[in-house]
């Protein structure tokens, strides 16, 4: 039976914007950009790691909020979540944590769950009580403030770091609230403000593999070298770890769906509607991109939980000029005048 993971997320005002209260003393969300709460983004990452290590798992992201809250769900789906549920009701405007936890509990029950994961707190209210209230309403045990979460043999286990580290564990169904790490969280927060071009990396094994990357870098002109990073736990890594050649595709701003598809886990990324053909050196080449390159892998350099792949460009092609797809503030976007 599939492990059903529900991640509760929140659409919050950007902390770098001019946040203030409206006349009704609720947060004014009209005058500031919103995004997926960074602490909830970490919760989604934890859920995806658990799902990837499970034989069969499904990750559903759930939010309660206005129409714009769909942006938070789109972000979570682009990270690899399988489904999204949006509870939208104007009468919920200004609801406190008591009411919010009740609505979340009803939605979680309807979706079905074995494990509920929530961020330690939201970055706008920072109360941190919704996970506990939600667990109480669902009638399941909870473990909170976790730096690591895993599921082993039907038991939810975690690590809680403090003056003395501990490893609490409860039986599923359960609720968990991971705490955001310090420096990794800071790194993610800083790089949310760094606009990066979006590329898709491909390689050919027994089957074609590919993933969305924002780490593509031009390393040298002579010889022409490029690099990108890939996590050692990524589904594409087993093929990339042995591939002699790789493909690099620069996406246009009209290809947001393609970028999201190659970021999603548990699907055949090369099935329709993806258009592709076999290119030089047997590398899968995507159709309709702004430009593509084929590179011969010359080095794989370990870097933490990632590998930096360096390749020498041996072939490629670019089409007419077009606006590139960018990744900024946790979402896909394009250039703006």
């Amino acid at each position: 039976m599939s492990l059903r993971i529900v991640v509760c997320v929140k659409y919050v005002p950007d902390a770098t914007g001019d946040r203030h209260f409206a006349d009704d003393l609720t947060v004014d969300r009209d005058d500031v950009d919103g995004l997926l709460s960074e602490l909830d983004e970490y919760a989604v990452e934890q859920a995806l790691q658990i799902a990837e290590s499970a034989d069969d798992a499904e990750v559903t992201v759930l939010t309660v909020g206005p129409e714009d809250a769909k942006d938070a769900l789109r972000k979570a789906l682009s990270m690899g979540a399988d489904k999204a549920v949006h509870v939208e009701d104007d009468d919920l405007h200004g609801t406190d944590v008591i009411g919010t936890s009740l609505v979340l509990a009803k939605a979680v029950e309807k979706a079905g769950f074995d494990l509920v994961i929530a961020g330690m707190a939201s970055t706008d209210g920072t109360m941190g009580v919704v996970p506990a209230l939600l667990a109480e309403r669902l009638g399941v045990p909870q473990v909170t403030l976790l730096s690591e979460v895993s599921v082993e043999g039907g038991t939810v286990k975690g690590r809680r770091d403090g003056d003395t580290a501990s490893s609490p564990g409860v039986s599923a169904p359960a609720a968990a609230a991971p705490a955001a790490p310090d420096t990794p969280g800071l790194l993610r927060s800083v790089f949310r403000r760094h606009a990066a071009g979006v590329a898709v990396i491909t390689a050919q094994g027994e089957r074609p593999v590919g993933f969305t990357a924002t780490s593509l870098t031009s390393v040298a002109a002579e010889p022409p070298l490029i690099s990108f990073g890939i996590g050692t736990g990524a589904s594409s890594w087993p093929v990339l770890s042995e591939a002699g050649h790789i493909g690099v595709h620069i996406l246009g701003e009209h290809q947001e769906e393609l970028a999201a598809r190659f970021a999603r886990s548990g699907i055949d990324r090369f099935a329709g509607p993806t258009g592709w053909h076999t290119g030089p050196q047997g590398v899968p080449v995507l159709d309709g991109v702004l430009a593509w390159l084929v590179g011969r892998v010359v080095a794989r350099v370990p870097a933490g939980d990632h590998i930096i792949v360096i390749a020498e460009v041996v072939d490629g092609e670019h089409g007419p000029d077009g606006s590139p797809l960018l990744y900024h503030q946790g979402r896909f976007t394009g250039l703006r005048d």
Side-chain angles (χ1 to χ4, degrees):
M1 181 178 177
S2 175
L3 174 64
R4 300 166 300 172
I5 305 174
V6 178
V7 186
C8 297
V9 301
K10 188 176 182 182
Y11 182 72
V12 299
D14 187 348
T16 64
D18 179 22
R19 296 191 296 180
H20 56 274
F21 291 112
D23 292 339
D24 62 357
L25 299 182
T26 61
V27 176
D28 188 341
R29 300 178 184 275
D30 294 331
D31 294 337
V32 63
D33 290 335
L35 43 78
L36 172 63
S37 173
E38 293 175 15
L39 297 177
D40 291 341
E41 185 174 335
Y42 181 61
V44 174
E45 291 174 355
Q46 289 288 303
L48 294 174
Q49 290 177 17
I50 293 171
E52 192 161 329
S53 63
D55 292 333
D56 184 18
E58 181 178 77
V59 176
T60 300
V61 287
L62 164 66
T63 194
V64 175
E67 181 179 358
D68 288 345
K70 292 177 181 177
D71 287 345
L73 297 180
R74 291 191 183 99
K75 163 62 178 175
L77 289 171
S78 73
M79 293 172 64
D82 301 296
K83 295 181 179 179
V85 176
H86 182 196
V87 180
E88 180 183 359
D89 189 332
D90 291 341
D91 289 339
L92 295 176
H93 175 71
T95 303
D96 60 13
V97 292
I98 303 298
T100 299
S101 65
L102 175 60
V103 175
L104 284 172
K106 295 299 183 182
V108 168
E109 288 175 339
K110 186 173 183 178
F113 72 99
D114 298 300
L115 173 63
V116 179
I117 300 180
M120 176 181 67
S122 64
T123 53
D124 55 351
T126 63
M127 294 183 67
V129 297
V130 168
L133 291 170
L134 180 57
E136 179 66 21
R137 292 190 183 280
L138 293 173
V140 298
Q142 59 157 323
V143 281
T144 57
L145 300 178
L146 302 177
S147 57
E148 298 176 3
V149 185
S150 63
V151 177
E152 302 174 14
T155 299
V156 180
K157 295 184 177 181
R159 176 181 174 85
R160 181 182 294 136
D161 294 327
D163 293 336
T164 302
S166 60
S167 301
V170 295
S171 297
D182 293 330
T183 50
L186 173 62
L187 181 66
R188 281 194 298 270
S189 179
V190 168
F191 269 83
R192 290 179 67 90
R193 292 151 177 80
H194 172 67
V198 181
V200 169
I201 310 297
T202 61
Q204 182 65 49
E206 293 184 1
R207 59 180 179 81
V209 300
F211 67 98
T212 300
T214 57
S215 58
L216 179 65
T217 302
S218 173
V219 176
E222 188 59 45
L225 297 177
I226 56 175
S227 72
F228 59 87
I230 178 173
T232 54
S235 59
S236 297
W237 172 239
V239 172
L240 265 293
S241 67
E242 298 180 352
H245 292 81
I246 51 89
V248 174
H249 306 79
I250 308 301
L251 302 191
E253 65 176 344
H254 62 289
Q255 294 179 304
E256 180 177 338
E257 291 186 6
L258 182 63
R261 182 175 184 82
F262 273 81
R264 184 169 299 172
S265 62
I267 65 169
D268 181 357
R269 297 167 180 171
F270 288 86
T274 302
W276 66 283
H277 62 277
T278 300
Q281 306 298 327
V283 171
V285 173
L286 302 180
D287 299 334
V289 296
L290 294 185
W292 59 267
L293 298 169
V294 169
R296 178 178 62 87
V297 176
V298 297
R300 296 178 177 89
V301 183
D305 59 358
H306 277 58
I307 300 293
I308 306 302
V309 178
I310 302 175
E312 180 179 356
V313 175
V314 297
D315 210 330
E317 185 177 289
H318 62 81
D321 290 340
S323 296
L325 182 65
L326 302 178
Y327 188 72
H328 181 242
Q329 290 288 10
R331 69 185 69 176
F332 295 117
T333 185
L335 292 174
R336 298 291 180 265
D337 294 333

